[in-house]
Structures are given as structure tokens and as C-alpha cells.
Amino acid sequence: MSTSDLHSPDAIQERNRRLAKRVGLIVLGMALFAWALVPIYRWVCVEFGVGIVQQKPNNKNLPAAAGDREVEVRFVGLVDVLAPAKIEPLKPRLVVKVGEQHEVMYRFTNLSDENLDFQAVHSVAPSLADPLFHKVECFCFTTQTLKPREVKDLPVAFWVDPKFPQQYHAVTLQYTLYNLNPDPTLLKKRQEENAAKAGV
Amino acid sequence: MSTAAHAQAGHPHPLKTSLWDWITTTDHKKIGIMYLILALFSFFVGGLFALLVRLQLWRPDAGILSPDVYNQMLTMHATVMIFLAVIPLLTGFGNYAVPLMLGAKDMAFPRLNNVAFWINAAAAIVLMSAFAMGGSAAAGWTSYPPLSGGIFSPGRGVDIWILGIHLAGISSILGGVNFIVTIINMRAPGMSLHKMPLFCWTWLVTAWLQVIATPVLAGVLTMLLFDRNLGTSFFRPEAGGDPVLWQHLFWFYSHPAVYIMILSAFGIVSEIIPIFSKKHIFGYLAIAYSSVAIGILGFLVWAHHMFASGIDVRARTIFSVLTMLIAVPTGIKIFSWVATLWGGNIRLTSAMLFAVGFVAFFLIGGLDGIFLAIIPVDIQLTHTYWVVAHIHYVLFAGSIMAIMAAAYYWFPKMFGRMLNETMGKWHFWLTIVSMNVTFFPMHFLGVQGMPRRYYTYPAEFAFWNTTETIAAFVMGFAQLIFVYNVIVSLRKGEKAPDDPWEGKTLEWTVSSPPPSHNFDTMPVIK
Amino acid sequence: MVERWQEALKRFEGKALLGVLAWGLMASAAGANPMDAAVTPIASEVNSVYNLILWITGGLFVGVWAVMGYALWKFRYRKDRKVNDFHGNLTLEVVWTVIPVILLIIISVPAFRVLQFTEYAPKDISETVEVIGHQFFWEYRYPDSSITIANQPLRLPVGQNIRLLVTSDDVIHNFSVPAFGFKQDAIPGRVNERWVRVDKAGTYDGYCAALCGALHANMLFKVEAMEPEAYAAWKAENQKAAAAPTGPVTQEQLMAAGEKLYASNCASCHQVNGQGLPGVFPPLANSDWFDKTDKNAHIDVMLNGLRGEITVNGQKYNGVMPGFGHLSDLDLAAIATYERNAWGNNHGVITPEEVKALRK
């Protein structure tokens, strides 16, 4: 091919279109990558325990014998602003041995005159302890319903993995109660009530 | 053909064509100028928002803006400056100069170029329309959910914002494709990559960043739009979502975005400093490849914006180390620019003053960023005015000053007229003084703990805030000198020769302004 | 005219540069080093690393400016200057690549040590406080003492290790106490843990440091670090207050609440002074209606309203009073008790249980 052919406008356009198509594929690839990041993120968080909710029962088997190491477990409960409810752990803390199963109860109160469907969302601190905090039974595995003004106690059964890192001495389990049918128009009212209670 | 020859040959002035010609033009030079005009206007709009913010902050409880309007102003100041001002300003200069510097007659896809510009214009209209539709987004340009979600930002502001940025992103991607193909395929014979001007190198890297990162922004914006309007749960915890996921995806784009905003500024400065020192650039290869390094590293550091969010300490450590590494290629550039001055014969024209000012003051932004790379210190300084100082040193003392330098440098080529040097120097010195008085004290406020995005503040922060407000107004008015200079010079400026600066790149071998086809004969590089 | 501006420019240029430098130095001296209010070990460590970085970056800044300033002066334009087109030097380039790396390593070593220190809480934590961000105030819970306070200073004991569990019930906030050397995002659905030990008693400023809505700047708070005895006393006092509501309600409490509720619900007709409007609204002050009827009748009127002719203090009334059953038992008991005991009345207390018993 002579130099002039290589540099003819058509040849140039042809090369340009080919390169543009390849670059375009990269654009498409990155767009798909963005959406793929959602499940990737979830997988990374679960695998490496970097902190997202894993609301499934744990299949790991309880070790034959409990270890010697003691860990303090703290229990926290709070409600989302749009949930007319109360959640409180019946015990704020428990000192457990690793590999030993325990159960704590959380008390749920529906403060409204309607049924309340809710989801308890858990969070563990430190976040890398999440995969090492094995929940055998938890009200957070499914959505729950409270009848009007109902007060109910629900359990969490758990054990702490012996692999729980040595640099940490305590693990915190927090539940946030979310209303599954929130009414956003009530936000202002709820916030005013909360503020009034706080004396703001 | 030279300017004089063109005039003699009776060729019409290339810029004096009809409005319709401008609107439909595929000439990269005219498109570049349109980008610059729209972006300059946007710069003043964004600047107006900033002055309103500073007015509200002139003293505690000033009561000039309501808290919600204040939050709209700070959100739109950043949004407009990033997507409608800085990026399009750099795109304008890139559009104008890159084909010329490569010896090409236009960009690879001239019609796509036109489309990309008008999409950018549409983005501007959409973003600004929010003010007529109940108020703009007010959750910061970072738009973190749940604040930016449907419950806490009811109304249309955030949805309109999302749409506007989608449009800006599309323009950016189309432009990026165009630049990549142009730079890779359309160089004049003999111009290997290692003979290519550094402005084109930095545009090549920038274009790749635009093409790779912007689709991720599009993805995450769409997810927020769906969460707000279709009840999906990407970021809503009650249904298994996570607000922190937004932060990861948003910063995955927005960190490379800051390199999109600075790399071609590095390129501009790398062109101007050698010319006005009468030397070759020191370390051409180092500057070229350190730009590539910054582009790549830029994708690996996004979570340094999230050190206080509680993400795992192991992840934070990795991000901190990678962030510190970026200082190395950046330092290489700064030292190379200083070394370029050494042994030269330096003419401090307005263009050169802004270029040297860039090196001197962007340096502050680079150095105060090191504090933010170190996690325990970042925890103390993040979310405070220290970050505001850092941002504005790299973006104003950095990008904007480089853009000013480019304006003074290429204006003669673009319009065939010289800008008034005396006005240029006044513009420079007033900007330098006012800019430093506006932004330097923000470091102090940050160390004292004053958080960002506060519409009012405790009395102990008042002195610096009042100082900054006064200086910011001076800075705003100083930019008007430039506008006045442009208007006056377009009409009665001294006629510009082909090569007023004794330049070394191909645009100075053609007339000022160039003929529409750029080169009468294709240049061959030896 | 142009010459005047040129002349003025010449005079301005040099002054401007010197002015900026001088101003920068003075401002730095005035504004720098306010991170000295470090009252926790974390803050002291952070300050040391900050100072190290400040020296290194300050040195780099001065170095670059010195060389650049010198070059701009020494190589300024001269018509007859011979240019030395020096544009490459491997040694120089290697040196200025390696030295920044070394400087970064020097900074990293203490930095990562401090990170470890801030991340891993010591074993002997004496108090845990849950910090909950709301739009637009902070709530603190002391779970081991059953204390909940909000919109008040956070009380902490001096010299003891404290665990803070930070979260939010609505949007992302950030709990920031500069004197303690940290800030932590408060993210809804997530708990973030921080440990702190305050070594000096005092009151410290706190800020919400994450944009959380319109009143983001109004979530300022204080932290009061108290000597252990004062802290224990404060806790004891607050535990009593926390316990009280579960016990029986006192007449004082009912009267206090009742007065407010009466003013907003009843005074429009029966008047603040309880006199009513003759012929239209019956009086409650010194009213013989309370002598003629019992508590249950009063509760019934409050819950269901009253219509039909009645005679009070010798005057006939034939209006319609609406029911107030939408108010809670506690509220109605408070109003009723207030009405029975204000203005010189003395007709006894009505309890929430008595109201509840009469609801259908």
C-alpha cells in the first residue's frame, strides 16, 4: 500500500472508526462494570468482612469445645426515624467465651395503632468481625410484624468465632429497626416529636 | 499560509461567519471557542453562587440566605464549576489546540464533536432549570444518600441534578472518544508519540480517564434515580442496601475526575513555561509518563475520601499508601517545570505569569493534600475547611490559573488579536493576592475544627471568615478585568502575527486565526 | 491613560508579591498550631504526625519557592542573554524521585503506628456510650446505666477509656470533637466504634461534620469531661430521673402538664382563669358542678363531650362540648386534675388508670 493510500481520507476514517468502536466497547464495559460492582461489593464485604449486612443464618458448625478467650459482646438497638416503635436489648452486654453459643432477647414495642411490618438491619463493629460473629437464629433473618401496641421479645442466638482477631476485645451488635411501609409525609411530625422529647 | 498572505489572498475572516454556521459547525476551532464561551459564562455563574455562599458567611448568623438555599448554593457552586466550567474550559482549549498541534485538519469525528458540545449546553440548561422548578439539589455535589434519597430530599431537585450530570457525562464520554482517536490516529507523519507536544499527552490520558470513569458515574447516578423513584434499594438499608456503596461508586468516578481537571492543566503549563524561558521542557519523557502514572494511580485511591466512614482499617491502609504515591509523579512535574526555568531567558508575559503562578500555588494544594493522605491526620482534617482549602488551591490556583495562562497564550491564535498585556498583569496580580487571602486561611479554620458546608458558625471562626469573604469579592471582580480585556481586544486589540511568542508547536506555523482547514500542506515532522 | 495603568502596575507588582508572602507568613504564625488543645492521647499523637508533615511540606514549599524565585530573578529576560538549554539530567531526576519517596516513608512510619493506636481500643473500657445523630441534635445513651439524654452535653469521666458507638436514625451525620483528635461518620443502619480517653477535665466543642440537611450547622454540641466523682454523681442523679416515669404519677406532675394542656385545649372556651362565658360556656373555677357530680362524670365529659341543658352556679347552659378522647389517658388525667385543683378548687386527683377504665 502506498503512503498516499494509507493517508487517504477514507483510510483514515476507516482506522478512526475501528479505534472508536474499540474505545466504545470499553465505555460499555465500564458501564456494565458499574452495575456489576453492586454484587461485587456485596461479595467483597461478606468474604473479607468489610462491613455490610449479611442477614443469613450461618452454616458454620459450633466448635466441639469453647475456647478460653473471653470477648465482651455489646447489644444496641435503635429505630429508624420513620418507625413508630421501640427496640431495646434486654441486656446491654454479655461476656462470652469464643466458640460458645448464647442467646439474648430484644424487646420490640409497636407504639402505633396499626400493624407494623419491620426489618431489623444488623451492623457489627468492628466491621471485620462481621463474618466472625455467627448468628444461629435472629429476628433479622426475616421481616417481622407487630400488632397495634404489641410488645414482643425476640431472640438472637450467636457465637463468636475463635478466629476473632486478638487486637479486639469487644464486639458490638447493633440493630436498626426499619419500617417496611414508611410514610414519608410523617417525617416532619416524627422529627418534631423526637426533638420535643429531647428538649430541643 | 501566514496571516498576511491570507489577508492578501482576499480570504474571508474564518471566524466571521453566520450564526447558523457556528451552531452547526464541525470545525474543531469554532467548537473549541463555543465551549470556551459557554464555560466562561458558567464560570461566572458558579462564581456568583460562591460569592453568595461567602456573603452568607461574612459574619455568624448573617441571615442572608436561608439554610436550605445556602445548601443549594454550595451544591450548585461545585456542580457548575466542575461540570460546566473547568472540564468544558479544558475541553475548549483541547478542542482548539490538539488537532493543530498534531498537524491534523480536524478532530477524528467532527460531527460528533458538535453533538458533544450541544449536549454539554443541554446539561447546563437542565442543571440551571432546577431553580425554576422548586429549587436545586441541596445535598452537596457529593449527594450522599440517605440525605439525597427520596425521603430526605423530596421534590425534584436531585432528580434534575442527576439528569443534568448524565448529560454532562455523555458529552464528556463522546469528547473522550474523539480525543483518543484523534491523538492516536491523526498525528502528522513523523510525529511519533515521543515527539508529540505534552498538551496532547495530557489530553490523551485525560480522554482515557473520561472514557473509563464516566460510565461508572452514569451507573451510580442511575441507581440513585431508581432508589428515589422506583423503590429499589441500592443505598437504602431497610431493604439490604448500603449508603456507603454510593460513596464507593461515586468516588470511583469523582477521584479520576479531579485528574481530568488537572492533567491538561499540567499540559498547558508544560507548553507555556518552555516557550517563555526560551528552552526545551526539562524532562519531557518524565512529564509524559508521570501523567500516565497519575492517570492509572488515580483509579486506585478513591476511598481516601471515605476515611471517616468506618470502612475496614486494612482497606484504608492500602488507599492511604496509594494516595501518598501520587505525590511522586506530581513532584517530578513540579521539579521539572522549575528546572525548565533554569538557565533560560524568561519573559514574564501574562501567559507566563499565570503559568508560573500555577506552579507556585498549585504546589500548596499538592502539599496540603499530603496531610489528607495520612489517615489519623485526615480524620482530624476531613470534612473541615482544610479540605476546602485543598480543593481550591488545586482547582483555582491550579486548573483555573492554567486555563487563564492558556487564554493569554492562545487568544492571539484564536482571534488574530493580542490581549492587552497591562490588563493581563493587573488581572494576574489582583488574582494572586485575593486568591491567597481567600483560601489560605481556610487551612487555619480547618485545623481549628470548622466543618464544611456550614451556613453559620461560632464566633471564634469569624475573623478568618470575614477576611475570606472580602477577598473573595475582590477575586470575583478581578476576573472581570479579563472579560473586559477580551471584549476590548476583540475589537481594537493589536493585530496578532502568526507566531507572537516564538512558539515551537505547529499551531504557530499557520495564520492567526488559522484557515478553516488548518494546514495548506500537511506538515511532516523530522 | 494606558501609561498610567502601566506605571501603577510596575509599582503594584513587586509589592503584591512581597505583600502576599509577608501576609502568608504572618497569617501562618497567627493561625498555625491551634491543634494544641489536645486533651486525649489520640489527639497528641495526631498532633505529632501533623507537625512532622508540616515541617516536611513546609521545607519542600520553601525549597521550591527559593529555587523558583531565584531562577525567575537570575534568568529574567535580557536581550543579549545566552540560553543554557539544559533540559535533562538523570541524576537530578533520580534524586527528585527518590527523595519524595523517602520523605513519604518517614511520614508513614509514625502515621501507621498512630493508626493502629486509634483503631484498637484498649481492653479496660470503663464506659460505653451510644451516640445517635438525628436531624438536628445528638442523643446519648449510657446502656450500662440506663440513662438516655439528648440535646445536652455529653458527660464523660476523665482519665478512663471510653467506647463510643456512633450511629444515626435518619441521614449520615458526623460526630466531631477536634480537641479529642477524631471524628466519626454516623451512618444509619451501621454502627461505628471509636475509643477515647480524656485526660483533662473541661468542656469541649463538638460539631456535626457531615452535611445532613438544612440545619447541619446547628448540631453543635459540648462534651463535658468530669472528674470521676462528679461523673458518678451526675449518673446517679440521672438514673433517678430515668426511673421516675415508671412509678406512679404525682399530683405535681399532673398539675404542671395539665396547666399547659388546658391552655391549648380548653381555655378558648372555659378561659384561662376558668371563668367561662356566662350563658355560653360554664365556669370551672369555684364551680358547683364538681360538688354535684363525681370523678367518673368528669372523665366521661372529657372523653365523650356533653350536650343538653345543665345548671352551674345557678346559670343555665345548653351548648355542645366536643369530646377529647383523642388525647391520651395521661393527658386527660392531667387536664382533669388541673381543672379540679386550680383557681382555688380542691376536688382531688384523677389518674390515667381511671381515665383508661372509662374508655369504651
Side-chain angles (χ1 to χ4, degrees):
Chain A
M1 228 198 256
S2 72
T3 324
S4 60
D5 286 345
L6 265 177
H7 288 291
S8 74
D10 288 327
I12 294 176
Q13 259 221 354
E14 185 47 45
R15 282 206 300 276
N16 288 352
R17 289 222 177 97
R18 261 188 290 142
L19 181 55
K21 282 203 192 97
R22 285 197 212 125
V23 178
L25 279 174
I26 293 178
V27 171
L28 198 62
M30 288 310 294
L32 291 171
F33 175 64
W35 290 90
L37 275 176
V38 179
I40 290 174
Y41 177 75
R42 236 167 270 225
W43 176 81
V44 168
C45 292
V46 169
E47 274 305 302
F48 296 96
V50 290
I52 199 181
V53 294
Q54 167 64 351
Q55 317 249 98
K56 288 200 321 259
N58 199 284
N59 291 325
K60 216 165 153 197
N61 290 321
L62 195 61
D68 281 322
R69 187 159 157 234
E70 287 193 331
V71 172
E72 178 185 345
V73 185
R74 299 214 59 108
F75 303 98
V76 179
L78 74 151
V79 298
D80 175 70
V81 64
L82 284 176
K86 245 170 60 165
I87 168 179
E88 18 179 17
L90 290 188
K91 269 209 260 289
R93 66 190 282 270
L94 203 59
V95 176
V96 304
K97 287 204 168 48
V98 296
E100 192 178 68
Q101 183 162 322
H102 289 265
E103 187 179 275
V104 288
M105 303 298 280
Y106 271 76
R107 175 162 293 170
F108 298 86
T109 308
N110 182 351
L111 295 173
S112 77
D113 291 319
E114 281 101 33
N115 280 350
L116 176 64
D117 299 316
F118 71 86
Q119 171 71 54
V121 170
H122 92 261
S123 171
V124 171
S127 57
L128 56 74
D130 200 349
L132 298 168
F133 187 90
H134 305 295
K135 293 201 285 297
V136 175
E137 192 197 324
C138 179
F139 49 79
C140 61
F141 291 156
T142 58
T143 62
Q144 303 281 344
T145 302
L146 288 170
K147 295 202 270 290
R149 306 271 168 200
E150 186 182 356
V151 179
K152 199 154 64 165
D153 289 353
L154 293 170
V156 179
F158 66 92
W159 55 279
V160 178
D161 197 300
K163 289 212 207 77
F164 186 68
Q166 295 290 335
Q167 307 104 308
Y168 294 105
H169 311 288
V171 59
T172 300
L173 175 65
Q174 171 178 287
Y175 286 100
T176 309
L177 193 158
Y178 278 95
N179 186 346
L180 287 170
N181 303 302
D183 183 355
T185 61
L186 286 178
L187 178 68
K188 213 162 173 288
K189 181 157 171 285
R190 292 251 176 276
Q191 289 184 325
E192 274 162 16
E193 281 166 11
N194 286 344
K197 258 193 279 175
V200 178
Chain B
M1 209 193 264
S2 73
T3 311
H6 265 281
Q8 283 217 309
H11 289 188
H13 192 293
L15 295 178
K16 292 195 174 123
T17 58
S18 69
L19 184 62
W20 183 249
D21 175 67
W22 276 85
I23 290 174
T24 57
T25 186
T26 54
D27 179 345
H28 70 98
K29 300 183 290 302
K30 291 204 177 87
I31 292 175
I33 290 174
M34 286 199 289
Y35 264 109
L36 291 174
I37 295 172
L38 176 62
L40 187 64
F41 180 72
S42 303
F43 175 66
F44 279 99
V45 169
L48 175 67
F49 295 160
L51 288 180
L52 285 169
V53 165
R54 284 277 18 128
L55 198 59
Q56 168 64 23
L57 293 176
W58 86 269
R59 69 174 181 85
D61 290 313
I64 293 171
L65 301 179
S66 73
D68 178 59
V69 170
Y70 179 84
N71 287 350
Q72 290 181 41
M73 288 294 104
L74 68 85
T75 300
M76 293 307 286
H77 161 69
T79 302
V80 166
M81 284 306 199
I82 292 169
F83 294 102
L84 301 181
V86 175
I87 293 180
L89 281 168
L90 290 169
T91 305
F93 284 117
N95 252 300
Y96 193 92
V98 166
L100 283 167
M101 287 173 138
L102 296 178
K105 74 174 196 314
D106 207 309
M107 296 282 274
F109 303 106
R111 272 174 307 187
L112 187 67
N113 206 6
N114 177 289
V115 167
F117 168 72
W118 285 111
I119 294 179
N120 187 254
I125 293 171
V126 168
L127 283 171
M128 299 305 296
S129 74
F131 290 113
M133 310 246 275
S136 73
W141 87 279
T142 49
S143 197
Y144 283 8
L147 180 62
S148 59
I151 294 178
F152 298 97
S153 283
R156 285 174 284 205
V158 174
D159 300 302
I160 295 174
W161 180 83
I162 289 175
L163 194 57
I165 300 197
H166 263 307
L167 289 171
I170 293 173
S171 171
S172 190
I173 292 175
L174 295 177
V177 174
N178 221 342
F179 274 102
I180 290 173
V181 177
T182 305
I183 295 172
I184 293 191
N185 279 356
M186 315 263 294
R187 281 167 282 129
M191 185 183 288
S192 64
L193 282 176
H194 285 185
K195 292 214 181 97
M196 184 170 77
L198 284 170
F199 184 59
C200 303
W201 266 100
T202 55
W203 252 111
L204 182 59
V205 180
T206 301
W208 274 112
L209 293 182
Q210 287 179 196
V211 149
I212 295 177
T214 315
V216 178
L217 178 69
V220 73
L221 288 172
T222 308
M223 291 176 204
L224 180 63
L225 193 64
F226 284 179
D227 261 21
R228 286 175 56 83
N229 295 290
L230 297 180
T232 55
S233 57
F234 292 100
F235 314 119
R236 296 187 304 129
E238 59 270 35
D242 187 354
V244 177
L245 175 62
W246 164 273
Q247 298 183 28
H248 281 292
L249 295 180
F250 175 83
W251 286 114
F252 189 84
Y253 163 77
S254 299
H255 194 80
V258 313
Y259 296 113
I260 290 174
M261 291 192 281
I262 199 64
L263 279 170
S264 23
F266 288 161
I268 290 168
V269 164
S270 304
E271 295 297 333
I272 293 178
I273 290 187
I275 298 299
F276 294 97
S277 309
K278 290 221 149 300
K279 284 186 61 191
H280 283 93
I281 184 80
F282 186 103
Y284 169 92
L285 281 177
I287 295 188
Y289 285 103
S290 62
S291 307
V292 175
I294 289 174
I296 295 174
L297 277 172
F299 275 103
L300 303 177
V301 298
W302 75 88
H304 67 226
H305 300 272
M306 297 163 60
F307 284 154
S309 60
I311 61 176
D312 190 277
V313 64
R314 297 165 297 180
R316 276 185 279 155
T317 302
I318 297 174
F319 282 110
S320 174
V321 170
L322 289 169
T323 305
M324 285 192 270
L325 278 183
I326 295 198
V328 178
T330 311
I332 287 174
K333 289 194 170 55
I334 297 208
F335 300 136
S336 299
W337 291 321
V338 174
T340 305
L341 295 172
W342 199 269
N345 197 5
I346 302 170
R347 287 172 295 159
L348 287 176
T349 58
S350 303
M352 182 61 161
L353 281 169
F354 274 101
V356 169
F358 172 98
V359 178
F361 294 106
F362 168 80
L363 178 64
I364 297 181
L367 292 175
D368 67 18
I370 293 179
F371 292 77
L372 298 172
I374 304 293
I375 297 172
V377 177
D378 176 85
I379 296 291
Q380 192 69 324
L381 298 175
T382 192
H383 298 334
T384 71
Y385 261 80
W386 181 281
V387 180
V388 183
H390 168 68
I391 295 170
H392 288 91
Y393 266 97
V394 293
L395 284 176
F396 191 94
S399 305
I400 294 290
M401 296 243 288
I403 287 167
M404 293 296 172
Y408 287 99
Y409 183 58
W410 277 312
F411 185 93
K413 177 56 51 185
M414 291 180 179
F415 300 106
R417 304 264 187 185
M418 303 299 288
L419 277 172
N420 181 289
E421 274 294 304
T422 305
M423 275 196 251
K425 290 178 180 159
W426 272 107
H427 175 207
F428 173 75
W429 287 108
L430 282 172
T431 299
I432 290 291
V433 174
S434 56
M435 168 192 82
N436 279 294
V437 179
T438 305
F439 298 120
F440 201 77
M442 292 183 179
H443 293 107
F444 311 143
L445 288 173
V447 175
Q448 286 165 18
M450 178 176 173
R452 299 169 70 170
R453 299 167 162 176
Y454 263 30
Y455 77 94
T456 186
Y457 47 84
E460 74 241 33
F461 300 133
F463 175 74
W464 289 124
N465 269 287
T466 309
T467 308
E468 288 165 7
T469 295
I470 297 171
F473 272 85
V474 173
M475 193 171 84
F477 287 118
Q479 309 317 306
L480 294 174
I481 299 176
F482 172 73
V483 176
Y484 181 69
N485 197 350
V486 166
I487 294 173
V488 158
S489 303
L490 279 175
R491 272 197 264 129
K492 342 182 256 181
E494 189 191 314
K495 281 227 185 325
D498 294 2
D499 184 9
W501 312 124
E502 290 170 71
K504 292 265 189 334
T505 40
L506 288 172
E507 74 269 33
W508 306 109
T509 64
V510 294
S511 58
S512 300
S516 55
H517 51 277
N518 292 352
F519 301 95
D520 289 330
T521 51
M522 183 182 279
V524 174
I525 314 299
K526 293 170 253 299
Chain C
M1 165 69 164
V2 172
E3 292 72 36
R4 270 216 346 244
W5 280 109
Q6 282 171 329
E7 286 307 305
L9 178 68
K10 284 202 185 64
R11 291 195 304 271
F12 183 68
E13 275 174 341
K15 292 199 194 85
L17 185 59
L18 281 173
V20 172
L21 283 173
W23 180 89
L25 280 165
M26 283 191 307
S28 300
N33 215 20
M35 290 235 282
D36 50 5
V39 300
T40 67
I42 290 177
S44 310
E45 297 278 8
V46 169
N47 277 10
S48 325
V49 180
Y50 171 84
N51 286 328
L52 174 65
I53 305 175
L54 194 59
W55 276 105
I56 292 180
T57 54
L60 283 168
F61 178 77
V62 168
V64 171
W65 271 55
V67 175
M68 195 164 69
Y70 179 71
L72 286 170
W73 171 79
K74 183 152 166 82
F75 302 107
R76 63 196 181 284
Y77 183 72
R78 287 262 175 283
K79 234 168 150 156
D80 52 340
R81 190 188 290 285
K82 250 191 106 210
V83 162
N84 169 12
D85 196 8
F86 142 83
H87 59 275
N89 183 308
L90 191 60
T91 316
L92 207 50
E93 295 189 71
V94 166
V95 163
W96 71 41
T97 305
V98 167
I99 290 196
V101 173
I102 293 177
L103 290 174
L104 287 172
I105 294 176
I106 291 177
I107 295 174
S108 300
V109 169
F112 286 112
R113 190 183 44 78
V114 174
L115 178 62
Q116 304 276 306
F117 180 67
T118 63
E119 270 311 294
Y120 302 117
K123 195 167 159 83
D124 56 330
I125 299 282
S126 69
E127 183 73 272
T128 298
V129 183
E130 294 162 25
V131 175
I132 302 169
H134 300 268
Q135 280 183 328
F136 295 99
F137 63 93
W138 294 95
E139 176 190 345
Y140 311 111
R141 299 185 190 167
Y142 299 73
D144 297 334
S145 322
S146 301
I147 294 173
T148 299
I149 55 173
N151 199 38
Q152 285 184 36
L154 170 65
R155 284 18 173 251
L156 296 176
V158 161
Q160 293 171 21
N161 296 325
I162 299 150
R163 172 186 297 120
L164 297 173
L165 297 172
V166 182
T167 186
S168 160
D169 81 334
D170 44 32
V171 297
I172 297 178
H173 300 271
N174 181 291
F175 186 76
S176 166
V177 187
F180 291 0
F182 73 82
K183 58 170 65 72
Q184 182 69 69
D185 277 357
I187 300 175
R190 184 189 184 107
V191 62
N192 281 329
E193 183 181 334
R194 282 260 70 87
W195 79 273
V196 68
R197 190 184 83 232
V198 189
D199 287 330
K200 194 165 142 213
T203 305
Y204 302 105
D205 291 327
Y207 310 88
C208 172
L211 180 63
C212 57
L215 302 184
H216 163 54
N218 298 108
M219 281 180 70
L220 306 179
F221 61 93
K222 299 258 187 241
V223 183
E224 244 177 70
M226 312 163 88
E227 296 299 340
E229 307 80 39
Y231 179 70
W234 172 82
K235 278 214 291 191
E237 209 181 291
N238 275 270
Q239 275 174 314
K240 268 204 303 209
T246 62
V249 173
T250 66
Q251 179 167 346
E252 286 73 36
Q253 287 170 317
L254 287 170
M255 290 293 285
E259 184 176 3
K260 290 206 189 79
L261 289 160
Y262 176 87
S264 51
N265 287 288
C266 320
S268 51
C269 298
H270 292 290
Q271 309 306 313
V272 174
N273 56 14
Q275 299 288 350
L277 196 59
V280 186
F281 305 123
L284 301 171
N286 305 303
S287 166
D288 64 1
W289 191 82
F290 293 115
D291 303 317
K292 291 193 287 191
T293 59
D294 66 0
K295 279 199 216 169
N296 284 346
H298 190 177
I299 295 173
D300 184 56
V301 170
M302 309 259 320
L303 282 173
N304 304 308
L306 182 64
R307 47 190 339 147
E309 190 181 278
I310 59 169
T311 304
V312 180
N313 291 357
Q315 174 110 50
K316 282 202 204 327
Y317 295 88
N318 201 350
V320 176
M321 173 173 152
F324 285 82
H326 57 277
L327 295 178
S328 70
D329 298 336
L330 185 57
D331 287 350
L332 289 175
I335 295 172
T337 302
Y338 177 75
E339 289 169 343
R340 297 178 85 82
N341 292 285
W343 317 297
N345 287 354
N346 192 358
H347 298 291
V349 170
I350 288 184
T351 67
E353 289 72 28
E354 287 171 313
V355 175
K356 184 169 179 180
L358 283 191
R359 278 192 199 266
K360 290 188 217 0

